[in-house]
Amino acid sequence: MRLVTLGDIHSAAETIAGTALRTPLVPCAWGDADRPLWLKPENLQPIGAFKIRGARNAIRPGMTGVVAYSSGNHGQAVAYVARQLGIPAIVVVPDTTPDVKIAGMQNLGADVIVVAPAERVSRAEELAARHGYPLIPPFDSLDVIAGQGTVGLEIAEDLPDVEVVLVPISGGGLISGVGTAIRALAPRAKVIGVEPALAADARESLAAGRVVSWPIESTQQTIADGLRSPQLSELTFAHIREVVDAIVTVTEEEIGAAVGVLARSSRLVAEPSGAVTTAAYLYHREELPIGRTVAVLSGGNINPALLAALV
């Protein structure tokens, strides 16, 4: 199986320039002395999440339209890029998707189809076949993984002596790309995945040495709606086995508390999925290596009422 290379990620960086923002590393005054912390705030992207990187690298001029399935952020990214290129976008989302993400897709011109969580992939495949549009998957794509890998490329360029990189895991596209870049450019750094304890299929998969699927009814319970994918793909799992050192899980209470810390202490709006890495840093220090740490804040698309409750 072919895996993404550093060359693919460099190429993706050229492709996405002008669409995705090169986000800064934000130092945290509240970090520990023995493990200083920087945040990589992908909530600052035009659609509020890192997904714009992979979507732009996968959607190319000449396509007549696109179809995607998403828990919300990938759909917004696809809608944004499709509007930029002047083509239609159809996005299939589960009925558990937050209203703020559905509204974001619709405001960007996407035709949003809401279905039961178990039906989103099959409905998207059906619509792609009906319209003759390519299906842009949220993570199971070399182009998408390479695009997400530009997050790791920027981390390594901006903090060459980084020692720990914390990355959220759902379907595995982000950590596959970030891990590939970090392994190549900062090989002594540890790449640690973070996922909710209620959706810890990646941790179980890594321990078992094979892709393990969790019941969708279980993963839908986590507040981290962007991390509810019930399993990795074979492609992302192959990357994870190569580039991820460990996976840490966090509780719902820890995720909610981290959203509040990020808002109050760093003035950054994080959705629960984006806050899991901060939760790991704050509440699972004993499971993390000591050293200069970057936590990827993957997105900030959170319903205002939930944000108010957590802050």
Side-chain angles (χ1 to χ4, degrees):
M1 180 184 296
R2 178 170 121 67
L3 302 185
V4 165
T5 67
L6 182 62
D8 295 328
I9 296 172
H10 276 296
S11 177
E14 295 179 5
T15 298
I16 71 174
T19 298
L21 177 69
R22 183 188 176 101
T23 53
L25 288 183
V26 178
C28 294
W30 44 272
D32 294 343
D34 61 350
R35 47 166 62 88
L37 176 66
W38 289 261
L39 299 172
K40 180 70 168 167
E42 288 294 293
N43 60 315
L44 301 181
Q45 292 292 351
I47 55 92
F50 75 96
K51 291 285 191 177
I52 194 171
R53 297 170 181 267
R56 177 62 187 89
N57 198 48
I59 302 174
R60 302 301 175 93
M63 292 182 177
T64 56
V66 288
V67 175
Y69 57 90
S70 171
S71 60
N73 284 336
H74 177 63
Q76 290 184 86
V78 167
Y80 182 91
V81 175
R83 187 180 71 171
Q84 190 180 54
L85 297 178
I87 60 176
I90 303 171
V91 184
V92 181
V93 301
D95 55 19
T96 53
T97 301
D99 292 342
V100 67
K101 294 184 178 181
I102 292 177
M105 287 179 267
Q106 292 172 332
N107 290 340
L108 289 166
D111 181 10
V112 181
I113 311 296
V114 181
V115 300
E119 298 174 12
R120 65 176 182 165
V121 177
S122 59
R123 181 66 67 85
E125 291 172 340
E126 171 194 325
L127 288 166
R130 182 191 308 172
H131 292 276
Y133 295 159
L135 181 63
I136 309 298
F139 53 85
D140 191 24
S141 157
L142 291 171
D143 286 338
V144 170
I145 291 171
Q148 319 306 27
T150 59
V151 172
L153 184 66
E154 292 170 12
I155 291 171
E157 289 175 347
D158 292 346
L159 190 67
D161 56 354
V162 63
E163 294 171 282
V164 183
V165 181
L166 305 177
V167 188
I169 298 186
S170 180
L174 177 60
I175 199 166
S176 293
V178 171
T180 298
I182 295 298
R183 275 285 180 272
L185 298 173
R188 290 189 292 180
K190 300 297 184 183
V191 177
I192 310 294
V194 186
E195 61 185 345
L198 291 179
D201 57 288
R203 184 174 186 175
E204 186 174 339
S205 297
L206 192 59
R210 59 181 176 82
V211 174
V212 175
S213 178
W214 278 34
I216 203 163
E217 297 77 18
S218 173
T219 62
Q220 292 296 310
Q221 295 178 52
T222 178
I223 192 176
D225 58 275
L227 304 182
R228 290 172 176 166
S229 177
Q231 69 178 61
L232 308 168
S233 71
E234 292 294 339
L235 178 62
T236 56
F237 181 61
H239 284 82
I240 286 170
R241 292 186 72 175
E242 290 292 323
V243 301
V244 175
D245 294 287
I247 298 175
V248 174
T249 64
V250 291
T251 69
E252 299 299 287
E253 294 75 18
E254 291 164 348
I255 296 169
V259 171
V261 170
L262 287 164
R264 293 188 303 270
S265 300
S266 289
R267 280 68 65 188
L268 289 170
V269 174
E271 61 186 277
S273 303
V276 295
T277 51
T278 299
Y281 180 88
L282 291 171
Y283 306 113
H284 293 265
R285 289 177 174 86
E286 72 285 354
E287 297 179 60
L288 303 178
I290 291 174
R292 290 173 292 277
T293 301
V294 171
V296 177
L297 195 171
S298 56
N301 294 313
I302 182 172
N303 276 330
L306 177 58
L307 177 63
L310 295 176
V311 171

